[in-house]
Amino acid sequence: MGVGETIQSVERAAGILRLLASGPRELGVAELARAMGLPKGTLHGILRTLVHVGFVEQDAATGRYRLGGTLLHLGSSYLDVNVLRTRSLNWADALAGRSRESVWIGTAHEGGVLVVHHVFRPDDSMQVLQVGTLLPAHATALGKVLMAYDPYGDPGAAFHAPSAPEPAAAPAPEPAAGPGTASATAAGTPSLAALGAAAGGEPAAEGVLAAFTPRTLTSADDLAKELELVRGRGWAYDVEELVEGEVSIAAPIRDARGVTVGAIGVRGAVERLAEAGEPNITIVSYVRDAARAITRDLSR
Amino acid sequence: MVFDQDGRIVSVAQREHRQIFPRPGWVEHDAAEIWDAVQGVVAEAVTGSGIDFGQLVALGITNQRETTVLWDRHTGRPVANAIVWQDTRTDALVRSLAGHEQLFRERAGLPLATYFAGPKIRWLLDETPGLRERAERGDVLFGTVDSWLIWGLTGRHVTDVTNASRTMLMNVRTLSWDDELLAALGVPRAMLPEIRPSAEVYGTTGDGVPVAAALGDQQAALFGQTCFGPGETKSTYGSGSFLLMNTGTEPVSSKHGLLTTVGYQIGDAPATYALEGSIAVTGSLVQWLRDNLGLISSAAEIETLAGTVEDNGGCYFVPAFSGLFAPHWRSDARGVIAGLTGFVTKGHIARAVLEATAWQTREVVDAMNADAGLALTSLRADGGMTANNLLMQILADVLAVPVVRPMVSETTCLGAAYAAGLATGYWPDTDSLRANWHKAAEWRPKIGQDVRDREYRNWRKAIDRSLDWSTP
C-alpha cells in the first residue's frame, strides 16, 4: 500500500463508530445503512467485527447497536485516580479553606463512588482519612453527578443501582486504597460510622434503592428525574439523604474531551450547608469554581 | 503569591528562569534575569489579586539557599553568572580546605562541602582577574539571592541570618561573620552584607511596600508549617527531601551527620535553631523510573503501580545516584537494587522506590532524635509527593508516628509571608499563625514493630551494599 492510500473497511468502521457516538443512544442496522449510504449486508460484516472486539454492543432485546464499553475505556484513556488526586490537590485544599468544610473527590467504581481524595474540615476536630471508602451513588451528591454525566450512557446503568443496590461503604479494593486506608471505615468519623451501620442494616427489596434516611431517593423513577435536574443545573446535592443532619454538594470534573472523570464536593452539617432544604448557594459556587479549576488543569 | 490574614492563597504568579549548564557539574543562574522575573511576578500577582500596591501589607522573600551572586556596587550589575547550590566546580578547592574541617564544623555548624556559598565566592575571586582587589575595596558585593533581591528592592546590602548560616562564613552562635572562617576561605569582609533577622523591615520598595522578611526556602517551609516549638519537625518532599527540626534557641551540634542551621530570627528575639537532614534523591527517583525506565508515564502513577502488590517482594532500592547525603555523607556510594529474585515484578520495584523515600527519612529522623535528645511525635510533610497516599502511609509505618499534611502545600511562600506579616504587625504573634494551620490529612502507623524492625534491618543491609562502589 502506498503512502496516502486508506483501507475502505476501516474507514467504514470509523464512520459507524462516529454515528453511534453522535446520534441517539442506539441505532438499528437500517438506520446505519441509510446514514452511511451502504447496503445492510456490508454493514453487518463490519458490525459483527466491531462487536467481536468489544467496540460495539448489540442490545439483546432490540437488536440495536451502541458503543461498547471497551471502546469507551479506550477513548477516555482511563484517568488514573492517583493522577486525578495529584492534579486536584491544590484546588481541593483551596475549596476546604473557602468553604470550611471537608472536601471529597470521587470516581465511579463498582456501582458506587470510590473516594479518591479527602481533605479534612479545617476545624482541627478528630477526623479520619476516608480515601478508599465506597459511598452509595444514589444517596450522595458525588454519586448523582457521576451518574448524571456517566459517559457509558444509561444513567444508573453503570451503577446498576435501581435493582441491585451495592453494599455501601464497603472498603474498596486495590489499587486506589493504600494498605492503610482500606480499613479506614472501621474507625470513621461519626457521620460515616453511622453510614456504615445504615448500609449494613437494611437490605433493599428488588427494584428499590437502599434507604439510608427517610429522605433517600428509593425509586428508580425519582432518581432518573433527579439526574435530569442535575444535568440541567450542572451540579448535585443531597440533603440528609445519606446521613441525618448532613448535606453534600458536588460538581463534575471533566477531562480534555469533556468526559466526566470524577466529581468534587463538600460534605457537612445541614445547618451550615442548607437553608430550608435548599443548598447554600455560596458554597455551591465554591464547589463549581473548584470543579472548573481542576477541569481547566486537566485540559492543559 | 499573595496571602490573606487567614493564610489563604489570594493569587499566584510564577515564571521560570533559565538553568545554565556551561560544563558537566556546573550550574549557573543569570541574576539579572532573576531580578527581572521577580519584578514581573510581583506585579502580576498583585494585579491578579485585584488589589493595588498600596493595599499590600508587606513583601517577604524566600529563595534557594547557597546560590552565590557577586555584583558591582556602583553599576548594580552582576560580575558573573550566579553559582548555584548544586554546582560542584569547587570540589578540588573544598578538598584543599580539609585541614579546616573541624573549624567549619564547630564555628559554622557545617561539614565541608561544595554545597555552601563560601567556596563559591572564593572560586569567583580566584578565577576572575582583578575581582579580589575590587572586593577588598568593597566595590564588588556578595549576596545570596535574598540579598541580591533586597538590594534591588531597597538599595540596602543586607542578608537574613538563615541564608548567612549557609555560607560557611558565619559563626552560628554569635550570628556574625567570623574572622577565622573568613581567613580560612580567603573572603574579604568588605564584600559581605550586613546580617539581619529573618523578619524586620529592611526597607521599602519604590511603590512604598515594606520589604519585611527573608528566609531560605527550607527554613521558610519550617516557618510556614508553624514549627515554632522545639522538637517540631517538617519534611518537604520534592526531587530531594529536607527535614528540619526546631531545636530551640541553642544550636545543637550534630554527631550524626546533620547540619546545624538557623531556623529563623524574628526582630530582636533570639534566633531559633534547627537541625537539617538533607536527602539528595527522593522524588527524582520516581522521575527516573518514569524517564529512564519508562515504567510509568506520570509520577503520580507510581502509586497505582506500587498498589498492584502487597509488599516489596523482598526488594530494596538505594538511590545513591550521587553518593549518599545525610546521615551517611558517603560520596563513594552508588545506587543498588538489592534482593532481586524471579518473583520480583515492576510493582515490587515501584514499592521499593516509595519505601526508599521513607527509609531515608527514617535514617534522618533517627539521627535527629539522637542529636536533639528529643523523640519525634509526628511528622509534618509538605511538597508535591504528599499527594501520594501510599507513600504517606509507608512513611507513618516506618517512622512509627503519625504523618500529617497541612492545608497549604506551598509552605515556603507562606512562611515568607508569615515572617513579613509578623514584622509589620499584620499578625500579632506566632500563636495567631498557628491558628491558621490546619490539618488536611493524617496517616497513622499500621504495621507491627516486628515488621518495621525486619524491614529496617533489610534496608540497612541494602545501604551496606551501595557503599564503596565509586572510586575517585
Side-chain angles (χ1 to χ4, degrees):
Chain A
M1 185 178 77
V3 176
E5 287 181 42
T6 57
I7 297 172
Q8 193 181 43
S9 57
V10 174
E11 282 190 332
R12 286 175 175 169
I16 291 173
L17 294 176
R18 217 172 274 129
L19 280 170
L20 290 174
S22 61
R25 198 151 281 134
E26 293 177 5
L27 295 173
V29 69
E31 290 165 278
L32 285 167
R34 218 172 17 254
M36 310 247 330
L38 290 170
K40 279 205 265 184
T42 309
L43 277 185
H44 268 304
I46 299 171
L47 280 167
R48 201 165 44 241
T49 310
L50 287 172
V51 168
H52 176 70
V53 299
F55 282 13
V56 167
E57 288 170 5
Q58 187 174 22
D59 189 278
T62 65
R64 289 162 167 265
Y65 294 94
R66 59 173 173 259
L67 290 184
T70 306
L71 182 66
L72 286 162
H73 268 294
L74 203 64
S76 54
S77 69
Y78 176 63
L79 181 68
D80 185 300
V81 295
N82 295 312
V83 174
L84 176 61
R85 183 190 317 111
T86 300
R87 304 287 290 271
S88 306
L89 197 70
N90 284 332
W91 303 113
D93 281 354
L95 176 57
R98 292 176 85 186
S99 67
R100 304 250 160 230
E101 300 293 346
S102 63
V103 170
W104 306 70
I105 293 178
T107 57
H109 185 82
E110 294 188 351
V113 178
L114 178 66
V115 177
V116 300
H117 186 46
H118 174 203
V119 183
F120 291 171
R121 185 173 58 251
D123 61 3
D124 300 321
S125 61
M126 174 69 191
Q127 292 164 76
V128 173
L129 206 61
Q130 299 290 343
V131 173
T133 300
L134 201 61
L135 300 172
H138 67 283
T140 57
L142 292 173
K144 290 179 189 177
V145 165
L146 293 171
M147 284 192 283
Y149 295 102
D150 177 16
Y152 294 76
D154 279 348
F159 293 80
H160 51 88
S163 57
E166 283 291 311
E174 295 288 346
T181 52
S183 60
T185 45
T189 56
S191 60
L192 280 153
L195 157 64
E202 302 288 323
E206 187 76 12
V208 175
L209 299 163
F212 301 99
T213 73
R215 287 168 170 270
T216 310
L217 297 176
T218 52
S219 98
D221 280 352
D222 288 348
L223 180 61
K225 281 184 201 129
E226 171 84 355
L227 297 184
E228 202 53 52
L229 289 172
V230 170
R231 276 188 289 272
R233 188 191 304 125
W235 53 278
Y237 64 91
D238 99 75
V239 176
E240 303 191 83
E241 291 161 49
L242 181 66
V243 180
E244 303 261 12
E246 284 194 15
V247 168
S248 71
I249 301 167
I253 298 169
R254 296 188 171 92
D255 69 8
R257 287 150 308 125
V259 174
T260 297
V261 290
I264 182 170
V266 298
R267 169 168 288 278
V270 64
E271 305 83 63
R272 297 191 303 267
L273 287 181
E275 287 152 36
E278 291 294 318
N280 178 317
I281 208 70
T282 308
I283 303 286
V284 169
S285 71
Y286 292 162
V287 169
R288 301 188 75 191
D289 285 350
R292 277 191 287 260
I294 297 167
T295 296
R296 261 199 310 277
D297 197 277
L298 289 178
S299 71
R300 275 206 281 269
Chain B
M1 295 182 74
V2 179
F3 293 92
D4 68 12
Q5 204 145 17
D6 293 329
R8 289 179 294 190
I9 298 167
V10 175
S11 76
V12 181
Q14 50 193 333
R15 202 168 290 184
E16 279 188 30
H17 60 79
R18 285 175 304 143
Q19 308 284 319
I20 303 162
F21 304 103
R23 296 186 203 181
W26 290 31
V27 189
E28 298 180 350
H29 289 161
D30 177 350
E33 184 187 346
I34 291 176
W35 168 241
D36 289 343
V38 165
Q39 287 180 295
V41 291
V42 167
E44 195 183 322
V46 172
T47 316
S49 61
I51 59 174
D52 58 48
F53 278 98
Q55 291 170 278
L56 269 194
V57 173
L59 186 71
I61 295 168
T62 181
N63 58 293
Q64 279 192 354
R65 308 168 301 177
E66 299 97 14
T67 297
T68 297
V69 189
L70 264 57
W71 69 93
D72 185 300
R73 174 196 291 279
H74 308 291
T75 66
R77 302 298 301 169
V79 299
N81 275 342
I83 305 183
V84 177
W85 63 276
Q86 299 108 318
D87 189 296
T88 55
R89 77 182 68 180
T90 56
D91 200 15
L93 174 62
V94 164
R95 274 198 304 267
S96 76
L97 294 168
H100 300 291
E101 183 159 15
Q102 205 49 35
L103 178 73
F104 289 118
R105 260 280 173 207
E106 283 169 10
R107 296 282 177 86
L110 303 175
L112 266 177
T114 60
Y115 183 20
F116 305 107
K120 301 181 199 295
I121 304 174
R122 166 71 176 271
W123 188 93
L124 283 167
L125 294 178
D126 285 351
E127 299 295 320
T128 317
L131 201 60
R132 176 170 293 281
E133 292 69 30
R134 291 164 68 195
E136 281 167 352
R137 288 197 305 269
D139 290 335
V140 165
L141 305 179
F142 155 76
T144 39
V145 173
D146 59 307
S147 188
W148 166 244
L149 295 179
I150 295 170
W151 168 271
L153 289 165
T154 72
R156 282 186 73 195
H157 188 215
V158 299
T159 189
D160 111 279
V161 64
T162 68
N163 277 291
S165 78
R166 316 294 290 193
T167 57
M168 299 179 82
L169 300 171
M170 188 187 83
N171 183 315
V172 76
R173 284 174 183 77
T174 64
L175 308 182
S176 52
W177 303 122
D178 185 294
D179 283 328
E180 281 187 64
L181 294 173
L182 294 182
L185 275 164
V187 171
R189 186 183 271 269
M191 71 187 304
L192 299 179
E194 183 186 348
I195 301 173
R196 301 302 310 170
S198 320
E200 72 166 21
V201 178
Y202 306 125
T204 53
T205 68
D207 296 300
V209 180
V211 179
L215 285 160
D217 53 7
Q218 298 304 323
Q219 283 89 342
L222 185 76
F223 208 76
Q225 283 262 32
T226 68
C227 293
F228 301 134
E232 290 184 330
T233 303
K234 72 87 198 178
S235 188
T236 302
Y237 290 91
S239 54
S241 293
F242 297 86
L243 278 81
L244 269 73
M245 175 191 272
N246 182 324
T247 58
T249 52
E250 289 296 320
V252 174
S253 290
S254 178
K255 294 182 177 61
H256 302 90
L258 305 176
L259 314 180
T260 305
T261 200
V262 179
Y264 54 87
Q265 187 187 18
I266 304 304
D268 300 330
T272 296
Y273 290 90
L275 278 172
E276 173 174 324
S278 326
I279 305 169
V281 176
T282 55
S284 56
L285 179 58
V286 177
Q287 290 165 348
W288 182 84
L289 214 66
R290 180 194 64 195
D291 300 336
N292 294 32
L293 296 192
L295 286 184
I296 46 176
S297 57
S298 74
E301 286 170 31
I302 185 94
E303 186 174 356
T304 309
L305 184 55
T308 59
V309 293
E310 289 293 312
D311 55 32
N312 60 23
C315 144
Y316 300 82
F317 198 147
V318 182
F321 290 172
S322 46
L324 286 167
F325 279 24
H328 307 282
W329 298 103
R330 291 286 297 259
S331 55
D332 59 332
R334 286 297 178 269
V336 295
I337 304 177
L340 290 179
T341 62
F343 174 73
V344 169
T345 65
K346 59 184 176 181
H348 295 118
I349 290 178
R351 196 146 187 129
V353 162
L354 296 182
E355 291 181 358
T357 291
W359 287 120
Q360 290 187 101
T361 304
R362 168 70 188 263
E363 291 181 323
V364 168
V365 166
D366 283 357
M368 280 187 171
N369 287 344
D371 273 339
L374 299 161
L376 184 79
T377 53
S378 82
L379 184 76
R380 295 183 168 197
D382 55 66
M385 282 180 97
T386 57
N388 189 319
N389 278 351
L390 179 55
L391 172 63
M392 294 297 104
Q393 183 60 50
I394 295 172
L395 255 184
D397 285 341
V398 310
L399 296 178
V401 299
V403 171
V404 171
R405 182 176 81 80
M407 199 73 100
V408 174
S409 53
E410 297 281 358
T411 51
T412 53
C413 287
L414 184 62
Y418 277 170
L422 279 180
T424 51
Y426 186 58
W427 288 290
D429 49 34
T430 52
D431 283 348
S432 61
L433 299 178
R434 278 186 193 277
N436 285 345
W437 188 93
H438 296 294
K439 189 189 288 186
E442 177 172 351
W443 294 265
R444 293 176 166 277
K446 291 204 152 67
I447 62 170
Q449 189 62 39
D450 52 334
V451 176
R452 182 178 299 122
D453 289 345
R454 182 195 69 212
E455 291 297 309
Y456 199 9
R457 272 197 306 277
N458 288 343
W459 167 258
R460 281 187 294 218
K461 284 199 290 188
I463 287 277
D464 285 344
R465 276 150 185 80
S466 76
L467 303 177
D468 194 23
W469 186 265
S470 167
T471 44

